[in-house]
């Protein structure tokens, strides 16, 4: 921040929190001081024309980390540059890439971004340098067919995404022979986002690229750009299969930032419909001076002990749970609840826009992005119609032309406020933003700091606020700021040896070029066994010259693990395509009768055609939202690792999860009151994945003073809280994992709590839970104990995506259960610290 300049973050804070009520919701303010930058001279090998163009763009010299990463790449060493948001990582790879392209007309470079928006942003930046010797072009699903031949034949710098590399380049590598023969650099931008199953897929796409490039005589240098993460060299090595140099000391300047943790206020009790049983109030606060809880109502009886067929559950990805969008998180048992984070975000966005503060509000879902933007526009229209027009939503699923227009308006400053999903978390260059609103913990510290870094990108002071959702993890974090500001950023978790990932990529590799013995080192230690299995299944055929793909059609692999092609959302009366939704989420979001929100307009799904993956909708204003209900069963396939201590067993292994959406609730928009429930007849979806689970004996339940009738509520509440806390120990968020709990599971013969990875074959999250079993369950117990509610609330044991309607739940019994489990698994509390 320039000397003498006002602290922009402090000014915004004072404006926003002038009202005492809001100030009482602030649980912590972290001051991140400004930092001066440190320059390095231009490397001698950088093309002088490029230096001149960069200086004309305002870059007098590189920062030290940029120059160091560029030197590694220019010298032929693959490198990962892992520094903070807005630290100028792009210059670190553009110096060697563009200099190399200018030096040799046959040289080529490939740029990979996780989103089309980021690739287009980088294309705009490269073209702005006006380098006649560099022919840059994007190659993605939006590229017209008429331009694709030109890109293959003439472009020297191709910007694309892993999906297009997998589907549109590698299977047709002979068409790309000129490009691949000259390939010198591969840039992998925002590589920290390649985690879990998706990251494992990307690791094999990059190995296939290396293999095909070698066929044409090239061995490109990989330059990876990452947010600040723990162990970036190891993660980059897993992604590429190469030894990678690491540059992680950030030498860029940074303005001061005020980072506010904010817990929404309690609201007045919501009165449930007559059909709902009474329940206690839920103040749901940790260490917060505020309204006292009123006396609880008598507890209702819990259902009797049941077998696994009636297990209670928390759905894996694709399930939905929606708080009342205009007001509070819903507690179906009545009592005080916290105002929803989305409603608070909309109000804060309105105040910031009125004050002329350019703001990004990050939310967790497409629906929330639309709802927050719509709510802000409605409120602003009472002040100024012109201001209302300067607020918009940005999310995946928009048509290409809609995305381009929104990105241009955001860059130009025409838009003052944008409610966005993490589609705008990545490094699209948006300068001049003053503030970032983060609606709920985004799942990882890397994502948190990426979103926070979107504010203050011009080097001035900035304001960031994280609004806690009514959720165990969010509640824990806003009252334990050391878990956010005192921890190193997580390591990226991925497992390239996952057979459900490796097998399909070996099929693709064999279809591209026959597999040979030499390829087994490239694809890892599990490759040989996996190839033998593919031969047994008739997918590959062994011949003297290698292993060959056996079918006429090309193999297909879904690298994003979304369970099939996206479902198109079509307006039935006009045939207009409104957008798309992932296949895995479609059963819960675009079923018959579902309410769909698109750019502020409501639509109702009239038909969901599974065979052609199309949901037909009609415009309408129904006055309610919809929330899917599902049923899940889980079967243990095998046990890989176990730990047994007296009456407690902790296991890690493979399970098969079968889930089916069986109906949906209609909830009133403003109050969230349940208006009714409608049945649905959709086919089940099956998932074979890894899970961590623990079992307890009847003797332990007796020790914990849990009667047989109370067991379902105890294990269900413990399951919900454990899912909410696992992201502290694994690089995931709540929506990456699912759970099932039952008072008596047929495969274990005991009361059992399962938490499973929501991806085929697993993603490494359950394994982290197993390895940190004691500390994980201790943190789970602690968040239940610290919550001030009497019988459970969204801040401790309620789940926003429970397929069983958060029934039954027994918070006191869950605490006693976990305490008894921990007396066996972690009696000394030796592992009670949160892992880095």
């Amino acid at each position: 921040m320039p000397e003498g300049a006002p602290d922009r973050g402090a000014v915004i804070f004072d404006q926003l929190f002038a009202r005492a009520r809001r100030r009482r919701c602030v649980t912590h303010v972290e001051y991140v001081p400004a930092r001066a930058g440190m320059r390095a001279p231009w490397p001698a090998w950088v093309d002088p024309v490029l230096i001149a163009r960069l200086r004309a763009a305002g870059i007098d010299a590189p920062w030290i980390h940029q120059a160091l990463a560029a030197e590694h790449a220019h010298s032929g060493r693959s490198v990962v540059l892992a520094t903070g948001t807005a630290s100028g990582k792009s210059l670190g790879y553009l110096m060697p890439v563009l200099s190399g392209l200018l030096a040799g007309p046959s040289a080529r470079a490939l740029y990979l971004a996780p989103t089309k928006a980021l690739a287009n942003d980088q294309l705009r930046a490269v073209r702005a340098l006006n380098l006649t010797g560099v022919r840059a072009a994007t190659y993605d699903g939006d590229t017209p067919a008429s331009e694709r031949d030109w890109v293959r034949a003439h472009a020297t710098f191709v910007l694309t995404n892993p999906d297009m590399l997998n589907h549109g380049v590698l299977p047709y590598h002979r068409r790309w022979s000129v490009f691949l023969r000259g390939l010198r650099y591969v840039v992998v931008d925002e590589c920290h986002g390649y985690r879990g199953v998706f990251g494992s897929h990307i690791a094999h796409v990059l190995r296939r690229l290396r293999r095909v490039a070698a066929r044409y005589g090239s061995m490109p240098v990989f330059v990876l750009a990452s947010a600040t993460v723990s162990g970036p060299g190891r993660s980059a090595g897993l992604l590429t299969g190469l030894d990678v140099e690491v540059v992680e000391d950030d030498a860029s300047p940074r303005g001061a930032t005020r980072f506010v943790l904010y817990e929404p206020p309690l609201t007045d009790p919501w009165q449930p419909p007559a059909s709902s049983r009474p329940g206690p109030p839920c103040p749901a606060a940790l260490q917060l001076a505020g309204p006292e809880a009123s006396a609880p109502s008598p507890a209702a009886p819990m259902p009797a002990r049941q077998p696994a067929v009636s297990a209670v559950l928390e759905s894996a990805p694709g399930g939905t749970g929606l708080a009342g969008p205009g007001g509070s998180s819903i507690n179906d048992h009545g009592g005080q609840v916290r105002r929803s984070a989305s409603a608070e975000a909309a109000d804060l966005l309105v105040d910031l826009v009125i004050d002329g503060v350019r703001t990004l509000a990050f939310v967790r879902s497409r629906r929330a992005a639309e709802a927050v933007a719509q709510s802000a526009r409605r409120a602003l229209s009472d002040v100024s119609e012109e201001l209302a027009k300067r607020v918009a939503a940005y999310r995946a699923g928009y048509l290409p032309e809609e995305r381009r227009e929104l990105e241009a308006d955001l860059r130009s400053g025409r838009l003052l406020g944008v409610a966005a999903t993490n589609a705008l978390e990545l490094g699209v260059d948006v300068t001049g933003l003053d503030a970032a609103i983060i609606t709920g913990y985004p799942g990882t510290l890397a994502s948190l700091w990426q979103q926070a870094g979107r504010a203050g990108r011009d080097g001035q002071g900035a304001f960031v606020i994280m609004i806690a959702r009514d959720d165990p993890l969010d509640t824990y974090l806003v009252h334990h700021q050391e878990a956010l500001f005192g921890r190193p950023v997580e390591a990226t978790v991925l497992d390239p040896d996952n057979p459900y990932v490796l097998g399909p990529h070996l099929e693709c590799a064999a279809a591209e070029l026959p597999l040979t013995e030499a390829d087994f080192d490239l694809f890892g230690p599990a490759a040989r066994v996996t190839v033998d299995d593919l031969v047994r299944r008739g997918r590959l055929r062994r011949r003297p010259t290698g292993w060959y793909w056996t079918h006429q059609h090309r193999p297909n692999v879904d690298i994003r693990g979304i369970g099939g092609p996206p479902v198109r959302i079509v307006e039935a009366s006009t045939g207009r395509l409104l957008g798309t939704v992932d296949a895995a989420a479609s059963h819960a979001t675009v079923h018959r009768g579902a309410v769909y929100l698109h750019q502020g307009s409501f639509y109702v799904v009239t038909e969901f055609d599974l065979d052609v993956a199309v949901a037909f909708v009609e415009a309408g204003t129904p006055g309610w939202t919809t929330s899917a209900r599902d049923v899940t069963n889980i079967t243990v396939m095998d046990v890989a690792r176990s730990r047994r201590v007296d009456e407690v067993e902790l296991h890690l292994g493979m399970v098969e999860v079968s889930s089916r959406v069986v109906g949906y609730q209609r909830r009133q928009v403003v109050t969230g009151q349940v208006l009714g429930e409608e049945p649905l007849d959709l086919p089940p979806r099956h998932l074979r994945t890894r899970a961590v689970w623990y079992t307890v004996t009847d003797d332990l339940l007796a020790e914990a003073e849990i009667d047989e009738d109370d067991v379902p509520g105890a294990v269900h509440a413990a399951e919900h809280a454990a899912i909410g806390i696992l992201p502290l120990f694994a690089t995931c968020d709540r929506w990456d994992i699912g759970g099932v709990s039952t008072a008596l599971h047929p495969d274990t013969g005991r009361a059992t709590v399962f938490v499973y990875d929501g991806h085929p074959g697993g993603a490494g999250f359950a394994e982290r839970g197993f390895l940190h079993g004691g500390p994980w369950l201790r943190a789970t117990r602690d968040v239940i104990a610290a919550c001030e509610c009497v019988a459970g609330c969204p801040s401790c044991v309620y789940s926003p995506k429970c397929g069983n309607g958060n029934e039954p739940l027994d918070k006191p019994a869950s605490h006693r259960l976990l305490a008894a489990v921990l007396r066996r698994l972690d009696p000394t509390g030796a592992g009670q610290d949160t892992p880095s």
Side-chain angles (χ1 to χ4, degrees), residues 586-597:
S586 63
H587 286 211
T589 55
V590 290
H591 54 76
R592 175 185 50 79
V595 175
Y596 177 75
L597 188 59

Side-chain angles (χ1 to χ4, degrees), residues 300-351:
M302 293 291 179
R305 191 173 188 179
Q306 300 170 335
V309 69
S310 300
V312 291
L313 58 109
E314 176 165 347
S315 303
T320 61
L322 185 65
S328 307
S329 303
I330 302 304
N331 171 356
D332 284 338
H333 306 300
Q336 278 191 307
V337 291
R338 295 206 173 274
R339 192 160 186 260
S340 77
S342 295
E344 286 291 309
D347 282 359
L348 291 169
L349 182 60
V350 168
D351 289 348

Side-chain angles (χ1 to χ4, degrees), residues 667-678:
R667 291 181 180 269
Q668 193 175 58
V669 171
V670 176
T671 66
Q673 180 178 350
V674 177
L675 302 176
E677 185 165 336
E678 303 294 334

Side-chain angles (χ1 to χ4, degrees), residues 102-123:
L102 290 169
S106 63
R108 300 291 187 270
L110 181 69
Y111 170 91
L112 296 174
T115 66
K116 296 175 185 177
L118 183 53
N120 279 282
D121 187 71
Q122 288 295 304
L123 176 66

Side-chain angles (χ1 to χ4, degrees), residues 619-691:
T621 53
W624 63 77
T625 62
T626 51
S627 179
R629 302 288 296 273
D630 57 13
V631 172
T632 296
N633 291 307
I634 192 165
T635 302
V636 175
M637 306 304 295
D638 67 67
V639 179
R641 302 175 68 178
S642 297
R643 183 182 172 200
R644 296 176 175 86
V645 185
D646 299 330
E647 297 93 346
V648 177
E649 295 183 3
L650 182 67
H651 301 284
L652 176 71
M654 294 298 297
V655 299
E656 182 168 281
V657 182
S658 174
S659 61
R660 185 165 69 93
V661 174
V662 296
Y664 66 95
Q665 288 183 339
R666 292 181 292 111
R667 291 181 180 269
Q668 193 175 58
V669 171
V670 176
T671 66
Q673 180 178 350
V674 177
L675 302 176
E677 185 165 336
E678 303 294 334
L680 291 170
D681 184 18
L682 290 168
R685 300 176 70 91
H686 300 281
L687 172 71
R688 184 168 291 200
T689 186
R690 301 190 86 185

Side-chain angles (χ1 to χ4, degrees), residues 69-88:
E71 196 66 58
H72 281 304
H74 176 72
S75 300
R77 298 184 293 271
S78 292
V79 61
V80 58
L81 178 55
T83 52
T85 308
S87 60

Side-chain angles (χ1 to χ4, degrees), residues 336-410:
Q336 278 191 307
V337 291
R338 295 206 173 274
R339 192 160 186 260
S340 77
S342 295
E344 286 291 309
D347 282 359
L348 291 169
L349 182 60
V350 168
D351 289 348
L352 289 166
V353 168
I354 289 174
D355 288 337
V357 177
R358 293 182 62 192
T359 306
L360 268 179
F362 287 101
V363 295
R364 300 300 304 279
S365 68
R366 299 180 183 187
R367 182 183 293 189
E370 296 283 0
V372 168
Q374 182 191 50
S375 179
R377 284 194 296 263
R378 188 187 305 117
L380 286 167
S381 64
D382 294 335
V383 178
S384 164
E385 288 293 343
E386 287 304 311
L387 277 180
K389 293 176 182 177
R390 300 184 71 180
V391 172
Y394 185 101
R395 59 172 176 81
Y398 283 163
L399 301 179
E401 55 271 21
E402 293 175 317
R403 291 197 308 269
R404 303 287 183 271
E405 182 179 358
L406 286 168
E407 290 159 15
D409 288 345
L410 188 56

Side-chain angles (χ1 to χ4, degrees), residues 94-348:
L94 286 178
M95 281 190 284
V97 167
L98 297 181
S99 293
L101 296 179
L102 290 169
S106 63
R108 300 291 187 270
L110 181 69
Y111 170 91
L112 296 174
T115 66
K116 296 175 185 177
L118 183 53
N120 279 282
D121 187 71
Q122 288 295 304
L123 176 66
R124 181 184 58 82
V126 170
R127 286 183 172 173
L129 295 174
N130 196 26
L131 299 168
T132 56
V134 175
R135 298 185 297 275
T138 54
Y139 189 83
D140 56 35
D142 298 340
T143 306
S146 58
E147 295 180 14
R148 295 189 180 191
D149 288 342
W150 183 92
V151 174
R152 285 190 291 265
H154 302 294
T156 58
F157 192 15
V158 174
L159 300 96
T160 186
N161 52 67
D163 309 78
M164 199 65 177
L165 179 60
N166 175 53
H167 290 295
V169 177
L170 295 176
Y172 308 100
H173 59 85
R174 290 172 182 84
R175 300 181 188 177
W176 289 84
S177 58
V178 173
F179 183 89
L180 291 168
R181 192 171 289 114
L183 187 60
R184 288 189 55 187
Y185 293 103
V186 177
V187 177
V188 184
D189 206 355
E190 304 289 352
C191 68
H192 62 279
Y194 298 138
R195 59 182 177 87
V197 168
F198 182 43
S200 302
H201 278 296
I202 302 307
H204 288 299
V205 171
L206 296 180
R207 283 160 175 77
R208 286 164 50 202
L209 172 62
R210 288 176 53 204
R211 179 172 178 261
V212 167
R215 164 68 175 79
Y216 295 96
S218 65
M219 296 180 64
V221 172
F222 282 74
V223 187
L224 301 96
S226 169
T228 303
V229 295
S230 179
R234 181 180 182 278
S235 300
L238 284 173
L239 269 179
T240 62
L242 296 166
D243 293 330
V244 178
E245 301 290 340
V246 178
V247 176
E248 54 185 337
D249 291 331
D250 192 339
S252 64
R254 179 183 63 199
T257 299
R258 272 176 171 73
F259 199 129
V260 175
L261 302 182
Y262 181 94
E263 187 170 43
L266 292 164
T267 66
D268 292 331
W270 169 71
Q271 296 301 320
S275 60
S276 297
R277 66 178 177 85
C282 295
L286 285 171
Q287 304 175 0
L288 180 65
E292 295 295 326
S294 58
S297 303
M302 293 291 179
R305 191 173 188 179
Q306 300 170 335
V309 69
S310 300
V312 291
L313 58 109
E314 176 165 347
S315 303
T320 61
L322 185 65
S328 307
S329 303
I330 302 304
N331 171 356
D332 284 338
H333 306 300
Q336 278 191 307
V337 291
R338 295 206 173 274
R339 192 160 186 260
S340 77
S342 295
E344 286 291 309
D347 282 359
L348 291 169

